Amino acid sequence: MKNMQEMTPADFQKLITLVLSDLTIRRTLLENREREVNQEMRSLEKDAELEELDNQIQAIQADYNHYREYLDPNFKLDLDQYYRGMK
């Protein structure tokens, strides 16, 4: 296992970009589920699920905000383009 000191600044920025992308996807999926639950009939189970979803969304948002502080605003990486270009 490599240690953090062996990571280049570009590798670190790529890692941060990937983390932020993953967190964004996770948050979107939870928000979509939250909308689905909101459209269902009102019940105690619905309220409990909405509370759990909200807790998860808040935790993801907290992580996103934390890791975003490490992102170099000058580092540009389009993940879609990056992975299309890999062979």
Side-chain angles (χ1 to χ4, degrees):
M1 179 172 109
K2 291 185 176 184
N3 64 41
M4 192 171 157
Q5 287 74 27
E6 295 176 79
M7 185 179 288
T8 67
D11 285 339
F12 180 73
Q13 288 302 308
K14 181 179 172 188
L15 178 64
I16 293 298
T17 302
L18 289 168
V19 166
L20 293 175
S21 179
D22 178 72
L23 291 170
T24 299
I25 291 166
R26 289 175 185 276
R27 184 182 63 221
T28 300
L29 291 172
L30 289 170
E31 289 170 346
N32 289 345
R33 176 62 187 144
E34 195 174 46
R35 278 190 282 283
E36 289 172 6
V37 170
N38 265 325
Q39 292 174 355
E40 296 171 1
M41 292 178 56
R42 191 134 185 94
S43 69
L44 291 176
E45 289 135 2
K46 174 185 171 182
D47 292 341
E49 184 170 354
L50 285 174
E51 185 174 340
E52 176 61 29
L53 288 167
D54 188 53
N55 289 339
Q56 290 177 42
I57 290 168
Q58 288 180 30
I60 287 172
Q61 187 63 49
D63 280 348
Y64 183 91
N65 292 341
H66 172 74
Y67 289 112
R68 189 161 188 253
E69 293 176 7
Y70 293 96
L71 185 64
D72 178 351
N74 298 318
F75 183 82
K76 304 296 181 212
L77 176 63
D78 180 339
L79 291 175
D80 291 331
Q81 185 65 35
Y82 175 80
Y83 286 114
R84 275 191 209 115
M86 293 185 89
K87 300 284 179 203

